[in-house]
Amino acid sequence: MKYRTLGRSGLRVSCLGLGTRGTFGDGISDEVLTAAYDSGVTLFDVTEASGRAEMLLGEVLRSKGWRRSSYVITTRVFLGGQADWSLSRKQVLEGLQGSLQRLQLDYVDVIFAGPRPGPAHTEELVRVMSDVIDRGLALYWGTGGGRAR
Protein backbone atom coordinates (compact mmCIF):
# COMPACT_ATOMS: atom_id res chain seq x y z
CA MET A 1 0.00 0.00 0.00
CA LYS A 2 1.21 3.49 -0.76
CA TYR A 3 0.81 6.27 1.79
CA ARG A 4 0.67 10.04 1.44
CA THR A 5 0.56 13.06 3.64
CA LEU A 6 -2.93 14.57 3.78
CA GLY A 7 -2.58 18.10 2.46
CA ARG A 8 -0.20 20.15 4.57
CA SER A 9 -1.19 18.45 7.81
CA GLY A 10 1.55 15.90 8.31
CA LEU A 11 -1.12 13.20 8.75
CA ARG A 12 -0.13 10.05 6.83
CA VAL A 13 -2.96 8.12 5.19
CA SER A 14 -3.22 5.20 2.82
CA CYS A 15 -3.79 6.23 -0.80
CA LEU A 16 -6.81 3.96 -0.78
CA GLY A 17 -9.48 4.57 1.83
CA LEU A 18 -12.67 2.73 2.71
CA GLY A 19 -15.83 4.80 2.69
CA THR A 20 -18.94 3.44 4.33
CA ARG A 21 -21.77 5.67 3.12
CA GLY A 22 -23.62 4.06 0.26
CA THR A 23 -21.02 1.32 -0.05
CA PHE A 24 -22.38 -1.27 2.34
CA GLY A 25 -26.02 -0.32 2.62
CA ASP A 26 -26.78 -0.30 6.31
CA GLY A 27 -23.26 -0.95 7.46
CA ILE A 28 -19.86 -2.45 7.09
CA SER A 29 -18.89 -6.03 7.71
CA ASP A 30 -16.11 -7.23 9.96
CA GLU A 31 -14.65 -9.23 7.07
CA VAL A 32 -14.45 -6.27 4.68
CA LEU A 33 -12.92 -3.95 7.28
CA THR A 34 -10.39 -6.59 8.37
CA ALA A 35 -9.39 -7.36 4.77
CA ALA A 36 -8.90 -3.66 4.06
CA TYR A 37 -6.87 -3.10 7.25
CA ASP A 38 -4.75 -6.20 6.65
CA SER A 39 -4.05 -4.91 3.12
CA GLY A 40 -2.72 -1.63 4.49
CA VAL A 41 -5.80 0.57 4.30
CA THR A 42 -5.63 3.01 7.19
CA LEU A 43 -8.25 5.57 6.12
CA PHE A 44 -11.90 4.92 7.00
CA ASP A 45 -14.51 7.52 6.10
CA VAL A 46 -18.01 7.85 7.55
CA THR A 47 -20.66 10.53 7.83
CA GLU A 48 -23.12 11.42 10.54
CA ALA A 49 -25.90 10.92 8.01
CA SER A 50 -25.21 7.18 8.02
CA GLY A 51 -25.45 6.58 11.75
CA ARG A 52 -25.88 2.82 11.38
CA ALA A 53 -22.61 2.57 9.45
CA GLU A 54 -20.91 4.59 12.21
CA MET A 55 -22.22 2.21 14.86
CA LEU A 56 -21.08 -0.87 12.96
CA LEU A 57 -17.66 0.61 12.21
CA GLY A 58 -17.25 1.51 15.88
CA GLU A 59 -18.20 -2.01 16.96
CA VAL A 60 -15.73 -3.62 14.56
CA LEU A 61 -12.89 -1.27 15.52
CA ARG A 62 -13.52 -1.89 19.20
CA SER A 63 -13.68 -5.68 18.78
CA LYS A 64 -10.40 -5.79 16.85
CA GLY A 65 -8.43 -3.96 19.51
CA TRP A 66 -6.30 -2.20 16.90
CA ARG A 67 -4.16 0.65 18.21
CA ARG A 68 -6.00 3.92 17.68
CA SER A 69 -2.86 5.37 16.11
CA SER A 70 -2.90 2.69 13.38
CA TYR A 71 -5.93 4.04 11.51
CA VAL A 72 -7.47 7.35 10.49
CA ILE A 73 -11.17 8.12 10.85
CA THR A 74 -12.73 10.93 8.87
CA THR A 75 -16.33 12.02 9.20
CA ARG A 76 -18.57 14.64 7.67
CA VAL A 77 -20.99 16.69 9.71
CA PHE A 78 -23.80 18.52 8.04
CA LEU A 79 -27.05 17.74 9.81
CA GLY A 80 -26.33 17.74 13.53
CA GLY A 81 -29.47 15.69 13.92
CA GLN A 82 -31.48 18.53 12.39
CA ALA A 83 -33.07 19.18 9.02
CA ASP A 84 -31.31 22.57 8.91
CA TRP A 85 -28.21 22.65 6.71
CA SER A 86 -26.82 25.83 8.26
CA LEU A 87 -23.67 24.32 9.85
CA SER A 88 -24.28 26.36 12.96
CA ARG A 89 -22.15 25.84 16.05
CA LYS A 90 -24.99 23.85 17.60
CA GLN A 91 -25.31 21.51 14.62
CA VAL A 92 -21.59 20.91 14.24
CA LEU A 93 -21.12 20.11 17.94
CA GLU A 94 -24.23 17.93 18.21
CA GLY A 95 -23.43 16.13 14.96
CA LEU A 96 -19.86 15.40 15.97
CA GLN A 97 -20.79 14.32 19.50
CA GLY A 98 -23.36 11.92 18.03
CA SER A 99 -20.77 10.52 15.62
CA LEU A 100 -18.23 10.00 18.41
CA GLN A 101 -20.80 8.14 20.51
CA ARG A 102 -21.78 5.88 17.61
CA LEU A 103 -18.12 5.27 16.67
CA GLN A 104 -17.20 4.64 20.33
CA LEU A 105 -14.22 6.97 19.92
CA ASP A 106 -12.87 9.92 21.88
CA TYR A 107 -11.90 11.79 18.71
CA VAL A 108 -11.88 11.62 14.93
CA ASP A 109 -8.79 12.42 12.94
CA VAL A 110 -10.51 14.70 10.43
CA ILE A 111 -13.94 16.31 10.49
CA PHE A 112 -15.32 17.68 7.27
CA ALA A 113 -18.14 20.21 7.21
CA GLY A 114 -20.29 20.10 4.15
CA PRO A 115 -21.82 21.26 2.08
CA ARG A 116 -19.89 24.49 2.35
CA PRO A 117 -21.59 27.22 4.32
CA GLY A 118 -22.54 30.50 2.73
CA PRO A 119 -20.36 33.55 3.39
CA ALA A 120 -22.48 34.55 6.39
CA HIS A 121 -21.66 31.29 8.18
CA THR A 122 -17.95 30.99 7.39
CA GLU A 123 -16.79 32.84 10.50
CA GLU A 124 -18.99 30.73 12.78
CA LEU A 125 -17.78 27.54 11.13
CA VAL A 126 -14.11 28.49 11.59
CA ARG A 127 -14.73 29.29 15.26
CA VAL A 128 -16.56 26.06 16.04
CA MET A 129 -13.99 23.93 14.20
CA SER A 130 -11.18 25.61 16.12
CA ASP A 131 -13.09 24.84 19.31
CA VAL A 132 -13.60 21.21 18.24
CA ILE A 133 -9.83 20.85 17.79
CA ASP A 134 -9.06 22.66 21.07
CA ARG A 135 -11.40 20.25 22.89
CA GLY A 136 -9.62 17.25 21.36
CA LEU A 137 -12.72 16.01 19.52
CA ALA A 138 -10.91 16.14 16.15
CA LEU A 139 -7.32 16.65 15.07
CA TYR A 140 -7.97 18.40 11.73
CA TRP A 141 -10.89 19.90 9.86
CA GLY A 142 -11.87 20.77 6.32
CA THR A 143 -14.82 21.55 4.12
CA GLY A 144 -16.32 19.52 1.34
CA GLY A 145 -19.24 19.29 -0.99
CA GLY A 146 -18.64 22.56 -2.76
CA ARG A 147 -17.86 23.05 -6.42
CA ALA A 148 -14.24 23.42 -7.46
CA ARG A 149 -13.44 26.85 -8.88
Side-chain angles (χ1 to χ4, degrees):
M1 180 63 62
K2 292 183 180 180
Y3 300 88
R4 292 193 178 144
T5 302
L6 187 62
R8 298 180 188 168
S9 69
L11 182 64
R12 300 283 293 169
V13 297
S14 55
C15 289
L16 180 64
L18 182 63
T20 59
R21 185 171 187 212
T23 305
F24 299 101
D26 284 340
I28 183 170
S29 73
D30 184 308
E31 296 81 20
V32 170
L33 187 64
T34 300
Y37 185 85
D38 289 346
S39 298
V41 173
T42 60
L43 176 63
F44 302 100
D45 181 59
V46 294
T47 176
E48 70 159 325
S50 56
R52 176 126 172 88
E54 286 180 321
M55 287 189 303
L56 293 171
L57 178 60
E59 289 170 10
V60 172
L61 291 173
R62 182 179 209 116
S63 72
K64 293 297 177 183
W66 296 327
R67 286 186 344 251
R68 180 61 181 89
S69 61
S70 70
Y71 56 87
V72 172
I73 300 293
T74 65
T75 191
R76 178 182 306 266
V77 172
F78 56 93
L79 293 176
Q82 306 294 319
D84 179 3
W85 289 60
S86 69
L87 288 175
S88 68
R89 177 179 189 80
K90 176 180 174 54
Q91 279 142 328
V92 169
L93 289 173
E94 288 178 356
L96 180 56
Q97 288 168 344
S99 289
L100 291 173
Q101 287 174 346
R102 289 184 293 272
L103 288 165
Q104 303 176 51
L105 295 173
D106 295 328
Y107 68 94
V108 294
D109 297 278
V110 183
I111 178 175
F112 291 103
R116 281 191 187 146
H121 301 292
T122 301
E123 184 177 340
E124 182 175 15
L125 180 62
V126 170
R127 286 184 182 181
V128 71
M129 290 301 195
S130 295
D131 190 34
V132 160
I133 290 171
D134 289 345
R135 291 183 187 192
L137 303 176
L139 302 179
Y140 303 96
W141 73 275
T143 60
R147 293 179 181 250
R149 296 179 194 189

